[in-house]
Amino acid sequence: MDYRLLFLCAAGFLGALVDSIAGGGGLVTIPAYLLAGVPPHFTLGTNKFAATMGSFISTAGYAKSSKVNFRLMRIAVPMTALGAILGVRAVLKIPQDFLYPFVSVAILVVGLYTFFKKDLGKVNSFTTITKKKIFFVSVVGFALGFYDGFFGPGTGSFLIFIFIRFLKFDFTNASGNAKLINFTSNFTSLITFAFAGKIDYLLGVPIAFFMILGSLVGTKLAIKNGPKFIKPIFLIMSFVVFGKLLYEMFL
C-alpha cells in the first residue's frame, strides 16, 4: 500500500474543504507534498492540477445555489486569466522576496478588520450591477490574478474581503464569487505548468478525486450554514497565512 499517496489524498481532501469555504487550502496541501518528498516544481504543478479540479467543483456548487453573479464577473474572468499569465511570466524573472513584508501586513490588516467589524459580511447588501462595479471587479480580477500567478498566499482571503467590504456581499456570496476568480487564475496557471511538464499525473489524478470530494463537502457546509459558519474559518485562515508568511520571512 502506498502510504504516501494516502497521506496526500487525505491532505488534499482537507485542503479542498477549507479552501472551498474561506480559501487557504494550499497551506495544507503544499507542505504535505514537500513532506512526502515531491520535488518543489512538481509540488506546485501537481497541486495546481488537483486544486483546479476541486476549485471547479466548488465554483459549480456555489453557482448552482445562485451565489455567483456571472453578469458582474463577465469581464473579470478574462482579465483574471490575463493577470495570471503575466504573473507566471513575471515570477520567472523577478524574485518574490520583497513581497513578504507587504503581503504580511496586508493579510494581518484584513484579519483584524474582519475580527473587530462584528457585522461585516453578515447581510448581503449587494444591489444593482453598474459599469463602475463591473470595472472595479475587472481591475480586482486582473490584479489578484497577477498576484496569484506571481506569489499566491492569501489570494482567496483578499478576494473575499474585497467583495464584502466594497461590494457589500455577505460571506457566502463573497466566497462564491471569489471562488470563480480563484478557479480562473488556478486554471490559467495549470496550463503553464502542464506545458512545462511539471505535473505528476500518477499522484495528481487520485489526489484530485479527493479534492473534489473535499470541495463538495466544504461548499455544501458553507451554503447551508452561511456567514456565521464562514467568518470564523476565514479569520483562522487569514491569521494562519500571516503566520506562514512571517515564518518564511524570518526563518
Side-chain angles (χ1 to χ4, degrees), residues 185-225:
S185 62
N186 279 343
F187 182 72
T188 305
S189 300
L190 165 65
I191 294 173
T192 305
F193 281 114
F195 276 112
K198 299 298 183 182
I199 299 175
D200 185 336
Y201 292 100
L202 290 178
L203 286 178
V205 171
I207 295 169
F209 174 76
F210 279 88
M211 292 195 81
I212 287 171
L213 291 179
S215 293
L216 284 170
V217 173
T219 303
K220 286 183 179 180
L221 285 172
I223 293 171
K224 180 180 178 181
N225 297 291

Side-chain angles (χ1 to χ4, degrees), residues 19-117:
D19 197 72
S20 64
I21 298 169
L27 296 176
V28 177
T29 55
I30 294 294
Y33 280 104
L34 295 173
L35 189 61
V38 180
H41 286 160
F42 278 92
T43 287
L44 295 174
T46 307
N47 180 68
K48 191 64 71 176
F49 169 78
T52 301
M53 303 302 111
S55 182
F56 172 75
I57 294 299
S58 183
T59 304
Y62 279 111
K64 187 178 179 180
S65 296
S66 301
K67 304 301 182 184
V68 179
N69 193 317
F70 287 102
R71 284 184 59 212
L72 179 67
M73 308 295 283
R74 63 184 185 271
I75 299 177
V77 167
M79 291 298 289
T80 300
L82 176 60
I85 291 170
L86 295 176
V88 172
R89 290 174 64 90
V91 77
L92 299 175
K93 301 177 181 180
I94 305 171
Q96 300 175 330
D97 294 349
F98 72 93
L99 276 179
Y100 278 93
F102 296 106
V103 176
S104 298
V105 171
I107 199 71
L108 178 61
V109 170
V110 165
L112 290 175
Y113 184 90
T114 304
F115 179 78
F116 287 109
K117 193 78 171 176

Side-chain angles (χ1 to χ4, degrees), residues 26 37 49 126 149 177 243:
F49 169 78
F126 179 83
N177 285 283

Side-chain angles (χ1 to χ4, degrees), residues 6 10 14 88 102 105 116 121 123 162 170 176 202 246:
L6 286 176
L14 179 60
V88 172
F102 296 106
V105 171
F116 287 109
V123 178
I162 289 170
D170 63 7
L202 290 178
L246 278 187

Side-chain angles (χ1 to χ4, degrees), residues 120-203:
L120 188 72
K122 285 188 176 181
V123 178
N124 188 39
S125 300
F126 179 83
T127 52
T128 57
I129 297 174
T130 64
K131 290 182 179 179
K132 285 184 177 180
K133 289 179 181 178
I134 292 174
F135 176 77
F136 174 75
V137 172
S138 299
V139 171
V140 168
F142 176 81
L144 286 176
F146 180 91
Y147 171 75
D148 196 29
F150 183 77
F151 192 57
T155 302
S157 300
F158 288 134
L159 282 167
I160 291 171
F161 177 78
I162 289 170
F163 286 145
I164 292 172
R165 175 65 182 80
F166 297 103
L167 294 176
K168 308 303 179 184
F169 284 119
D170 63 7
F171 269 97
T172 311
N173 283 275
S175 294
N177 285 283
K179 188 54 64 180
L180 176 60
I181 293 290
N182 234 179
F183 166 71
T184 302
S185 62
N186 279 343
F187 182 72
T188 305
S189 300
L190 165 65
I191 294 173
T192 305
F193 281 114
F195 276 112
K198 299 298 183 182
I199 299 175
D200 185 336
Y201 292 100
L202 290 178
L203 286 178

